[in-house]
């Protein structure tokens, strides 16, 4: 094994920041580059002129059961005690997502809701989470009706807006993120630790990177950096959090991603909607509306919302947000990975081509550090 005296981290999102900090704490010098003009990647947020923290790349709610990740991040920020809930408008009725026992009473007449609740409680343990594609395998007539209802009203149109495909055409793990929940717990996540960094995600990442051994260079594209510094590149240990196909100049073709387009609106009133996120699984072309002032209880006479529209990722036009983990795409990813040079490590949503939540991205960086140290 070569003795690398320099570390290069390409990409300054959460994954890149965490690996950089762990190396720096161990006494290693780390250069972090990012082609964007800001740190924090897709968790970037900023306080706007109304005093409202805007999540530029969509709502980010931190949640984890991982003690190590929680402890690590708490060194760099305090979190509020926010417990995320998601509402959805179904046939004009505002109700809770994931679909749970309370939802039954919001959308059905009481007698029907009661019958369905009793059947659910005799068929499933209380507190179980059932992916919709599993939940559809029902024999009972009432439960079959319920499964069809949830599939149609919650998943079908939302998923076709979000992914351009039906729920049964995408990786089953994706819709399983939002199960049918045999519970009265209205929260979106059940993790032990949940919250929003009190001074925002950008500040959290800034604090992670604030170390004498870390140097950050923004507006610095990896490919341009690599060609300028080609002579010394092999001396670096490289942690690459960009998309692996780009690293290899797309020589086997492009990896597919979904992107999102946020249409921001400022409204001259205190609140626009009754919750931070409202999903529109049956109506309109956007999937959901985010209202940012809820996250940190920002006080303002105005409110800022974003309507979220999903679209395909197109190189040069928009950003990569979601890997599309089909067997073919995973195969293409593996094909690239086989060519990984010894001094290069891939990580993050794009580098690993995995639909990580923030805690999983941090955990992956921490595990990689343990592997190599
Ligand atoms: N989903 C849905 N209806 C909803 C919410 C989610 O069909 O009201 C499905 C959809 O396929 C989505 C997936 O569940 O892509 C995961 O949703 P989640 O909210 O976890 O996505 P994220 O917040 O990561 O975009």
């Amino acid at each position: 094994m070569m003795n690398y005296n320099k570390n290069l981290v390409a990409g300054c999102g959460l994954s890149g920041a965490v690996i950089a900090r762990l190396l720096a704490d161990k006494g290693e010098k780390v250069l972090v580059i990012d082609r964007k003009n800001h740190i924090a990647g897709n968790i970037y947020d900023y306080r706007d002129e109304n005093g409202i923290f805007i999540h530029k790349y969509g709502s980010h709610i931190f949640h984890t059961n991982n003690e190590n990740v929680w402890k690590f991040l708490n060194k760099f920020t305090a979190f509020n005690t926010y417990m995320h809930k998601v509402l959805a408008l179904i046939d004009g009725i505002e109700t809770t997502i994931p679909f749970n026992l309370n939802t039954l009473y919001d959308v059905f007449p009481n007698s029907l809701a009661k019958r369905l609740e009793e059947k659910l409680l005799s068929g499933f343990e209380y507190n179980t989470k059932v992916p919709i594609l599993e939940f559809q395998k029902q024999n009972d007539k009432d439960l079959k009706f319920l499964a069809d209802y949830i599939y149609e009203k919650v998943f079908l149109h939302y998923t076709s807006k979000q992914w351009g495909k039906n729920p049964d055409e995408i990786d089953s793990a994706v819709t399983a993120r939002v199960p049918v929940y045999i519970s009265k717990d209205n929260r979106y996540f059940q993790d032990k630790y949940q919250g929003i960094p009190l001074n925002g995600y950008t500040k959290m990442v800034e604090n992670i990177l604030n170390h004498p051994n870390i140097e950050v260079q923004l507006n610095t594209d990896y490919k341009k950096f690599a060609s300028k510094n080609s002579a010394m590149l092999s001396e670096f240990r490289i942690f690459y959090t960009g998309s692996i196909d780009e690293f290899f100049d797309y020589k086997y073709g492009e990896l597919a991603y979904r992107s999102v387009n946020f249409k921001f609106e400022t409204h001259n009133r205190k609140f626009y909607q009754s919750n931070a996120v409202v999903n529109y699984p049956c109506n309109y072309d956007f999937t959901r509306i985010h209202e940012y002032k809820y996250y940190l209880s920002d006080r303002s006479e105005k409110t800022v919302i974003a309507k979220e529209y999903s679209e395909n990722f197109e190189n040069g036009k928009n950003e990569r947000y979601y890997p599309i983990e089909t067997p073919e795409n995973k195969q293409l990813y593996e094909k690239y990975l086989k060519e990984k040079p010894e001094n290069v490590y891939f990580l993050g949503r794009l580098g690993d081509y995995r639909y990580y939540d923030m805690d999983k991205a941090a955990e992956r960086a921490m595990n990689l550090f343990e592997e190599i140290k």
Side-chain angles (χ1 to χ4, degrees), residues 45-292:
D45 58 8
Y46 60 94
R47 200 191 276 281
D48 77 350
E49 65 276 13
N50 307 301
I52 301 171
F53 261 104
I54 308 295
H55 298 186
K56 182 169 180 193
Y57 305 92
S59 285
H60 283 79
I61 296 95
F62 188 79
H63 59 100
T64 192
N65 282 320
N66 186 314
E67 300 279 343
N68 290 335
V69 168
W70 181 246
K71 267 193 208 138
F72 179 81
L73 294 179
N74 270 272
K75 290 197 269 184
F76 307 104
T77 183
F79 287 83
N80 68 0
T81 51
Y82 178 81
M83 296 257 160
H84 192 48
K85 289 181 186 165
V86 171
L87 300 182
L89 205 68
I90 298 177
D91 295 347
I93 300 167
E94 212 171 70
T95 187
T96 306
I97 295 289
F99 198 103
N100 67 23
L101 299 177
N102 294 323
T103 322
L104 291 173
Y105 289 88
D106 287 340
V107 298
F108 298 127
N110 232 46
S111 56
L112 176 57
K114 194 150 185 44
R115 193 161 87 229
L116 291 168
E117 182 179 29
E118 277 161 11
K119 287 198 173 179
L120 286 173
L121 288 172
S122 62
F124 299 90
E125 291 275 326
Y126 187 74
N127 222 9
T128 39
K129 294 180 172 173
V130 193
I132 183 63
L133 299 178
E134 282 297 310
F135 192 73
Q136 283 180 304
K137 297 171 190 161
Q138 303 282 356
N139 295 320
D140 180 87
K141 191 167 144 280
D142 283 335
L143 293 184
K144 179 90 191 91
F145 156 81
L146 179 62
D148 288 346
Y149 180 92
I150 299 174
Y151 180 84
E152 155 90 24
K153 301 289 186 186
V154 177
F155 289 95
L156 180 61
H157 308 294
Y158 188 104
T159 301
S160 102
K161 282 190 265 188
Q162 168 70 28
W163 299 97
K165 292 204 165 69
N166 287 347
D168 46 8
E169 294 169 329
I170 61 171
D171 184 348
S172 58
V174 173
T175 45
R177 289 167 60 89
V178 184
V180 178
Y181 193 17
I182 315 299
S183 173
K184 294 221 159 207
D185 180 346
N186 280 346
R187 294 171 305 166
Y188 207 56
F189 309 111
Q190 277 66 45
D191 302 60
K192 179 168 177 187
Y193 302 110
Q194 310 190 22
I196 312 289
L198 275 180
N199 296 307
Y201 288 97
T202 308
K203 189 72 193 169
M204 175 181 86
V205 173
E206 189 187 310
N207 290 342
I208 296 174
L209 293 167
N210 183 11
H211 191 289
N213 287 341
I214 298 178
E215 184 188 331
V216 178
Q217 275 177 27
L218 297 175
N219 304 303
T220 304
D221 180 79
Y222 173 79
K223 283 286 155 184
K224 286 186 195 138
F225 179 93
S227 69
K228 250 198 235 154
N229 298 283
S230 57
M232 56 190 250
L233 210 61
S234 61
E235 290 170 29
F236 277 101
R237 194 159 54 167
I238 298 169
F239 299 88
Y240 189 85
T241 71
S243 192
I244 196 170
D245 54 350
E246 187 170 346
F247 182 89
F248 289 109
D249 299 314
Y250 307 104
K251 64 178 180 177
Y252 298 131
E254 280 192 36
L255 277 167
Y257 288 90
R258 285 297 276 181
S259 185
V260 262
N261 179 10
F262 294 97
K263 297 213 166 121
F264 288 89
E265 296 172 10
T266 303
H267 290 264
N268 238 332
R269 56 203 238 206
K270 275 200 172 153
F271 287 98
Y272 179 87
Q273 58 190 24
S274 60
N275 195 56
V277 176
V278 179
N279 288 3
Y280 288 85
C282 310
N283 300 90
Y284 308 113
D285 296 333
F286 47 82
T287 51
R288 51 189 170 186
I289 300 180
H290 309 259
E291 184 167 8
Y292 294 104

